[in-house]
Amino acid sequence: DTEVTQTPKHLVMGMTNKKSLKCEQHMGHRAMYWYKQKAKKPPELMFVYSYEKLSINESVPSRFSPECPNSSLLNLHLHALQPEDSALYLCASSQEGLGSGRFFGPGTRLTVL
Amino acid sequence: GENVEQHPSTLSVQEGDSAVIKCTYSDSASNYFPWYKQELGKRPQLIIDIRSNVGEKKDQRIAVTLNKTAKHFSLHITETQPEDSAVYFCAASIGSNYQLIWGAGTKLIIKP
């Protein structure tokens, strides 16, 4: 399996809702990432997990909460989001070490009303 | 910190012609340079990458060149086809740093 999968594809939520985004990879990659992408912009790093431990949190607001249950799964828990959080949320994975290309999932298109 | 500039922001070429996209980086310690292609509504896809110990790399119609002295790298696409239409992003990183510093993107339009 050479793909990163994400669910759901689309999500519409109100500002008081709680929802979760899910990501899965079976390539044996030990680094997993969450990115946020706004229209016509490059992906913006949010979190990095290395060997299931949180390595980087790019000063992301606490209304976004990542979780890495095992080496294949990555979740992003959402709570009390704002309309400006509407974006494409991309999961990615890579091998550890020097210069490893990111393999991206198809993304979840999130709309916050 | 590292900064990556990408030019042009939009590039329109005739089908069959070549396209060149250029990026410059600021940190001489950068040693990994990937290129991603993102079609409308789809995920970014790694199309080619190069490490600082290599000056050029080719994969069929796509090539990347790296000039470490000038701190710039370029993507070359030959014999362009309609399916090459997409946004292309360059990026740079240092060592095993998880951070990729991205360029702003180039929208490539292939005219039939």
Side-chain angles (χ1 to χ4, degrees):
Chain A
D1 190 346
T2 58
E3 270 206 335
V4 178
T5 58
Q6 287 186 246
T7 56
K9 289 184 180 178
H10 301 275
L11 180 61
V12 179
M13 58 188 291
M15 290 191 285
T16 58
N17 292 157
K18 284 185 181 181
K19 296 286 185 182
S20 296
L21 310 184
K22 297 186 182 300
C23 173
E24 189 168 4
Q25 59 91 12
H26 293 288
M27 293 180 280
H29 290 168
R30 303 313 298 265
M32 295 186 76
Y33 311 77
W34 281 114
Y35 285 87
K36 173 183 177 180
Q37 188 177 29
K38 291 277 201 178
K40 301 183 181 180
K41 298 287 187 183
E44 181 184 335
L45 184 65
M46 300 174 71
F47 302 104
V48 180
Y49 274 83
S50 173
Y51 290 92
E52 301 155 51
K53 293 193 187 316
L54 184 64
S55 291
I56 294 178
N57 175 341
E58 287 291 327
S59 303
V60 179
S62 59
R63 58 186 184 268
F64 296 91
S65 176
E67 178 195 18
C68 188
N70 60 52
S71 60
S72 300
L73 294 174
L74 189 65
N75 299 324
L76 186 63
H77 304 296
L78 314 173
H79 175 53
L81 294 193
Q82 305 296 309
E84 60 264 28
D85 296 322
S86 298
L88 180 67
Y89 287 83
L90 294 159
C91 174
S93 70
S94 74
Q95 294 176 344
E96 284 285 343
L98 174 66
S100 297
R102 311 286 186 267
F103 288 82
F104 284 89
T108 293
R109 177 72 61 188
L110 175 67
T111 302
V112 182
L113 302 176
Chain B
E2 173 66 288
N3 182 52
V4 175
E5 293 191 0
Q6 183 171 349
H7 298 282
S9 56
T10 305
L11 178 60
S12 184
V13 301
Q14 205 70 40
E15 182 178 349
D17 288 350
S18 295
V20 181
I21 302 170
K22 297 181 181 178
C23 290
T24 59
Y25 60 98
S26 58
D27 194 329
S28 56
S30 292
N31 54 13
Y32 174 65
F33 308 92
W35 286 89
Y36 288 86
K37 173 185 180 182
Q38 189 172 25
E39 297 176 63
L40 190 62
K42 300 205 172 170
R43 74 188 83 188
Q45 264 190 301
L46 179 67
I47 55 171
I48 196 166
D49 57 10
I50 193 167
R51 291 173 175 76
S52 59
N53 58 349
V54 175
E56 183 173 0
K57 185 176 178 181
K58 194 172 181 181
D59 183 3
Q60 299 183 341
R61 296 186 298 110
I62 294 174
V64 57
T65 57
L66 172 64
N67 183 327
K68 285 191 294 183
T69 304
K71 291 191 282 188
H72 67 70
F73 56 111
S74 299
L75 178 71
H76 305 254
I77 305 174
T78 58
E79 300 171 9
T80 53
Q81 299 169 3
E83 55 264 35
D84 295 329
S85 294
V87 177
Y88 291 80
F89 292 102
C90 65
S93 73
I94 299 172
S96 58
N97 193 330
Y98 294 112
Q99 279 281 16
L100 272 181
I101 308 302
W102 296 74
T106 296
K107 183 176 182 180
L108 178 62
I109 301 166
I110 308 300
K111 296 181 289 186

